[in-house]
Amino acid sequence: ASTNPLIPIVILEVKENPLIDGIDLHIHALELEEIGNSLKMLREEFDMKKKIIVTEFSMVWLYNQHVNDNLGQWGTNNGYASGMKVYEWLNNAIDKAKAGTPIRQEEFASFFERTKWYPKNWFKTFYDEFVKYEVYCATGRFSCVLKEGGNNEKYTSSSTMWDLSAIYSSKLLGVNPSTRLMNPSPLAYPDYKEIVDKKYENIN
């Protein structure tokens, strides 16, 4: 809003037009602080009383900055070349998932957790800010599906890494062999499960 003169005009139109019920804000953040700052701007600076929905949210702009990072010592410790790029490692995960031998969730999570840049509990941070600023409804990337045959959607050095925001991912983490359901992603699922369990803990 501080750099694009069109955004305040749109927000003011939403506020003042009786035919508009609210606004859809897509929060794709580079830093966790952007989540609350965006919602605070609408609620406080623009005094937006109408409904806010968020039909997309992610940390995709942060992920995009690191697709060409080397795996480094973590790669060596886990059987990969230290010079392998992140996007190449993710392609390797896709190949393993397709072959029915997906990488372990612990391994997948450990790469991100050992970095200095990965925002732990990013999903829960989004949720908490949505509650704080009374977001009416929020939807994210629930699943990322491995396509059987055809285009396997491999990543490149310039890919936009939407898939890392998925709660469930057969594309990167395969399926459960007994249920044939997608395996959850350790980057989002633990926070998602905690939120859902808490919300329904008193329902019999």
Side-chain angles (χ1 to χ4, degrees), residues 28-30 58-69 86-87 90 112 117 155-165:
H28 298 299
L30 183 62
S58 75
M59 298 298 301
V60 68
W61 305 136
L62 175 63
Y63 297 144
N64 288 352
Q65 291 193 340
H66 297 279
V67 294
N68 291 296
D69 288 1
V86 170
Y87 79 89
L90 293 173
F112 294 94
W117 55 263
Y155 302 119
T156 70
S157 60
S158 59
S159 291
T160 304
M161 307 306 290
W162 299 110
D163 298 332
L164 292 177
S165 299

Side-chain angles (χ1 to χ4, degrees), residues 184-203:
S185 168
L187 305 185
Y189 180 78
D191 284 359
Y192 169 78
K193 186 175 187 305
E194 178 184 332
I195 291 164
V196 171
D197 288 349
K198 185 174 182 179
K199 198 154 187 72
Y200 294 102
E201 62 185 355
N202 295 321
I203 296 178

Side-chain angles (χ1 to χ4, degrees), residues 2-42:
S2 63
T3 59
N4 188 331
L6 181 61
I7 293 177
I9 295 171
V10 172
I11 294 173
L12 289 174
E13 178 67 18
V14 171
K15 280 184 60 178
E16 297 173 5
N17 190 329
L19 300 178
I20 299 176
D21 291 331
I23 193 166
D24 182 4
L25 185 67
H26 290 196
I27 305 178
H28 298 299
L30 183 62
E31 299 177 351
L32 286 176
E33 291 77 12
E34 293 178 26
I35 307 164
N37 289 345
S38 297
L39 293 164
K40 181 179 180 180
M41 177 193 70
L42 278 178

Side-chain angles (χ1 to χ4, degrees), residues 105 166-169 173-174 181-187 189-190:
Q105 291 199 5
I167 297 171
Y168 290 89
S169 180
L173 295 160
L181 296 176
M182 287 181 287
N183 283 322
S185 168
L187 305 185
Y189 180 78

Side-chain angles (χ1 to χ4, degrees), residues 90-129:
L90 293 173
N91 284 339
N92 181 269
I94 292 172
D95 289 340
K96 289 183 176 179
K98 187 175 182 181
T101 56
I103 65 173
R104 295 179 303 108
Q105 291 199 5
E106 293 80 8
E107 176 187 321
F108 191 79
S110 71
F111 167 74
F112 294 94
E113 290 169 353
R114 65 88 186 169
T115 69
K116 294 180 179 179
W117 55 263
Y118 178 71
K120 293 181 176 65
N121 302 112
W122 64 269
F123 190 95
K124 181 68 162 51
T125 301
F126 270 99
Y127 176 79
D128 290 341
E129 295 294 344

Side-chain angles (χ1 to χ4, degrees), residues 166-180:
I167 297 171
Y168 290 89
S169 180
S170 64
K171 178 175 180 176
L172 291 166
L173 295 160
V175 298
N176 183 307
S178 59
T179 65
R180 300 301 298 167

